[in-house]
Amino acid sequence: MILSLAAAAAMSSGGSSSLNSSSPLDPFDSSTSWSLAEDPSNSSSEPVVRTLTPDLQPATNAVAVQEVSPWDIALCVTGTLISCENALVIAVLFYTPTLRAPMFILIGSLAVADLLAGLGLILNFVFTYLVDSSVEFVTLLSVGLLISAFSASVLNILAITVDRYLSLYNALTYHTERTVTFTYVMVVFIWVLCLTLGLLPALGWNCLRDESSCSICRPVTKNNAVALAVTFLLVFALMMQLYLQICKIAFRHAQQIAVQHQFVAISTTKGVSTLSAILCAFGACWLPFAMYSIVADSSYPVIYTYATVLPATCCSVINPIIYAFRNPDIQKSLWMACCGCVPSNLSLRPRTSSDV
């Protein structure tokens, strides 16, 4: 229905009855949208009279642009750094045939876990800001990858700690009893367990249908988050106990053979100092997040979650430095790959079981 301005003037002076008999249009009716259009009945040479045409102008909806959180940017940058570091470690181990000892298998497994963790952080940023995060599959894929990767990282650190303990506790028979096959079996067990943990949210253990049961990391439920946190605390307690036993054994060996074999004593001391750095870095990175996961839920301010998650992810930044880049054999391979030579100040002594 077209209502011209001229007809409106005629109606105000008691004009056309056909317009009076029509149902009036309420200009204040929110269900009617109005636009200016030409009156087709006006074919004279008079100036064109504009009309208000209802229901012809499409509604314009404002597109909400999601603001990028600085915390998410920091996590994405951290994930990129993690990926680059651990990709380098994996490349060195893969292309160096001499690095096939059980110790390097565990270091490689740790590097793969941290690489997947870094990629998971990058994908989480992409899914949050570039993909429709309301799709359940996207959310479950991102969370499952992060749970599997970080769980494998923690368990591989525990496996390396156990390896260091066995290398000192059974120093004489260590290399004869422990085989590469046993190491591969242990690595496979770790990854099967961690992949199972990552699949739990996709198999129904999530809070997508009940937001009140969510933990600080949606869509992981509060109960699952507490179980993972308690498991981490048990792993940390076991690592601490192994660390104390390693210290006792190492210092006892150092006192017994310091005079005759000063070289071995130095090596043992280096192993203890490395394990000290491992324990301190591991606890400082993961303990805040584990404790906060136990006491908090989705109703807590999100800034506290970010403040505890970011240090936890930094553990995967530190791992290549502690386990890989400090190792003399890996250092030699890196120097050979970069410049084709080995610096003279690099230690050329044989690798011992106390080195990490």
Side-chain angles (χ1 to χ4, degrees):
M1 176 181 182
I2 301 177
L3 181 60
S4 66
L5 295 178
M11 287 177 60
S12 62
S13 58
S16 172
S17 60
S18 62
L19 290 175
N20 289 335
S21 62
S22 303
S23 57
L25 290 174
D26 185 2
F28 300 97
D29 187 1
S30 60
S31 63
T32 304
S33 59
W34 299 87
S35 65
L36 291 175
E38 294 185 3
D39 186 357
S41 64
N42 188 2
S43 60
S44 63
S45 60
E46 297 178 1
V48 176
V49 180
R50 298 290 180 179
T51 61
L52 292 173
T53 306
D55 300 327
L56 293 181
Q57 182 179 1
T60 57
N61 297 327
V63 179
V65 180
Q66 186 176 4
E67 183 180 358
V68 180
S69 170
W71 290 98
D72 286 329
I73 295 177
L75 288 175
C76 185
V77 172
T78 304
T80 304
L81 179 60
I82 292 171
S83 301
C84 294
E85 280 185 319
N86 289 280
L88 178 61
V89 174
I90 294 173
V92 170
L93 295 177
F94 182 80
Y95 288 105
T96 307
T98 58
L99 303 181
R100 296 292 184 270
M103 176 184 64
F104 294 112
I105 295 174
L106 294 175
I107 294 177
S109 178
L110 175 62
V112 171
D114 287 334
L115 174 62
L116 292 178
L119 295 177
L121 292 174
I122 298 174
L123 289 178
N124 182 69
F125 181 86
V126 172
F127 290 160
T128 301
Y129 295 102
L130 302 180
V131 182
D132 186 6
S133 59
S134 62
V135 180
E136 292 185 3
F137 171 76
V138 171
T139 303
L140 295 175
L141 175 63
S142 175
V143 171
L145 177 59
L146 290 174
I147 291 177
S148 297
F150 282 114
S151 298
S153 179
V154 170
L155 291 182
N156 275 291
I157 292 176
L158 175 61
I160 293 176
T161 305
V162 173
D163 177 76
R164 297 305 94 212
Y165 170 75
L166 293 177
S167 68
L168 291 175
Y169 183 76
N170 298 320
L172 298 178
T173 60
Y174 171 78
H175 293 286
T176 58
E177 291 180 354
R178 191 156 185 271
T179 63
V180 176
T181 303
F182 174 78
T183 304
Y184 277 119
V185 170
M186 183 168 56
V187 169
V188 169
F189 173 77
I190 290 175
W191 279 102
V192 169
L193 177 61
C194 294
L195 290 176
T196 303
L197 292 176
L199 287 175
L200 289 181
L203 295 177
W205 281 271
N206 59 68
C207 61
L208 294 177
R209 300 291 182 270
D210 184 12
E211 296 291 336
S212 62
S213 63
C214 283
S215 65
I216 59 175
C217 296
R218 185 181 180 274
V220 180
T221 62
K222 173 66 175 179
N223 292 335
N224 287 352
V226 171
L228 290 174
V230 171
T231 302
F232 164 79
L233 293 178
L234 294 176
V235 169
F236 183 72
L238 179 58
M239 287 181 59
M240 184 176 296
Q241 179 63 27
L242 290 172
Y243 167 74
L244 293 176
Q245 295 298 322
I246 289 173
C247 287
K248 293 179 181 179
I249 297 173
F251 284 120
R252 184 170 65 248
H253 288 178
Q255 290 175 356
Q256 293 174 351
I257 58 179
V259 178
Q260 295 85 355
H261 304 282
Q262 185 179 4
F263 164 77
V264 178
I266 294 175
S267 175
T268 305
T269 304
K270 179 183 177 182
V272 173
S273 62
T274 302
L275 289 174
S276 301
I278 292 171
L279 191 65
C280 293
F282 188 72
C285 291
W286 279 104
L287 278 178
F289 178 71
M291 299 302 297
Y292 186 68
S293 298
I294 295 176
V295 301
D297 54 31
S298 58
S299 63
Y300 281 60
V302 68
I303 188 174
Y304 297 150
T305 302
Y306 280 119
T308 54
V309 167
L310 186 58
T313 60
C314 289
C315 185
S316 295
V317 179
I318 302 173
N319 286 340
I321 300 174
I322 293 178
Y323 297 99
F325 299 143
R326 286 170 55 94
N327 186 278
D329 293 326
I330 295 180
Q331 289 179 10
K332 297 173 191 176
S333 299
L334 285 174
W335 278 104
M336 291 297 297
C338 294
C339 62
C341 62
V342 178
S344 57
N345 59 349
L346 184 64
S347 175
L348 298 178
R349 65 175 177 82
R351 176 184 52 84
T352 67
S353 59
S354 298
D355 293 331
V356 177

